[in-house]
Amino acid sequence: MEELMHITSCRKCGEPKVITAAVSKGQRGRHREILIKVVHRCPAHGREKGTLIPLGLLQEGKHFIKENLFRCKRCGGHTEIVDTKPDGEHVIFKVRCPDHGTGKRKISQMVFDMIMDEQPPHHPPEHHPHDPHAPPHDPHDPHRPPGPRFCPSCGVEVAEPGSKFCHHCGATL
């Protein structure tokens, strides 16, 4: 984890860089391990840089990757996911910063699935499918749109029935 933080921390200010992409580069190296190219940028000092990181190291630091993937690359502030779509072996999603608007991120489907398995620590579920105060619903109701009513990953109610991804955490529905 410390090695990953060292790789993606700004040399000038020591702050974590914003991750703008994480794409698979296949099996390489002496041990034929899967390498992921992580593109990162310091909001204060600019200049994007790509670093090849073994998949095993990303698995250890998936919380760190997730935390820095959903930040604005101009100010470093937290963003929200506004759109997600699959693109071959990758997922492309838009994030919105309240001050700087939207930006795109491209991430390998394998890495996306890995980091989205983890519940974000600072975003507790607003609703939970087993909430006793939630209105009752019948999954066999013919008027109910297809797809789950709540995200299986974060528990937030799905904003657009029939959508393929959660608008809050980006998990596949």
Side-chain angles (χ1 to χ4, degrees):
M1 178 81 166
E2 286 182 33
E3 182 181 349
L4 182 61
M5 290 177 67
H6 176 71
I7 291 170
T8 58
S9 294
C10 179
R11 291 183 192 176
K12 293 180 181 178
C13 64
E15 290 297 313
K17 294 180 180 178
V18 175
I19 297 172
T20 59
V23 294
S24 175
K25 290 297 182 182
Q27 293 183 349
R28 294 179 161 179
R30 217 171 33 171
H31 303 289
R32 304 293 299 159
E33 57 195 349
I34 296 175
L35 297 178
I36 305 294
K37 182 178 182 180
V38 176
V39 180
H40 43 87
R41 171 185 200 280
C42 175
H45 298 105
R47 195 173 150 239
E48 284 192 353
K49 181 181 179 187
T51 304
L52 291 175
I53 299 175
L55 182 62
L57 184 58
L58 283 181
Q59 287 174 329
E60 290 176 27
K62 65 183 177 180
H63 172 71
F64 177 76
I65 297 295
K66 185 174 185 176
E67 186 69 29
N68 292 302
L69 186 64
F70 301 119
R71 290 187 179 271
C72 174
K73 71 181 199 176
R74 289 183 63 197
C75 69
H78 289 280
T79 61
E80 66 175 331
I81 298 175
V82 293
D83 187 28
T84 309
K85 66 179 180 178
D87 182 39
E89 294 180 9
H90 298 92
V91 175
I92 296 177
F93 55 95
K94 287 183 183 177
V95 292
R96 178 179 296 135
C97 171
D99 297 325
H100 299 107
T102 60
K104 286 187 181 178
R105 303 286 191 270
K106 183 176 183 177
I107 187 168
S108 168
Q109 182 71 52
M110 173 177 43
V111 175
F112 185 80
D113 292 342
M114 178 181 67
I115 67 170
M116 288 311 203
D117 282 345
E118 188 168 296
Q119 177 77 2
H122 60 291
H123 295 293
E126 295 168 11
H127 296 91
H128 192 273
H130 304 293
D131 182 359
H133 303 292
H137 67 280
D138 180 7
H140 304 291
D141 180 6
H143 301 290
R144 186 175 174 268
R149 183 168 175 197
F150 295 93
C151 173
S153 179
C154 69
V156 171
E157 188 168 7
V158 175
E160 295 181 35
S163 62
K164 295 181 181 179
F165 298 96
C166 174
H167 73 283
H168 181 72
C169 74
T172 304
L173 298 175

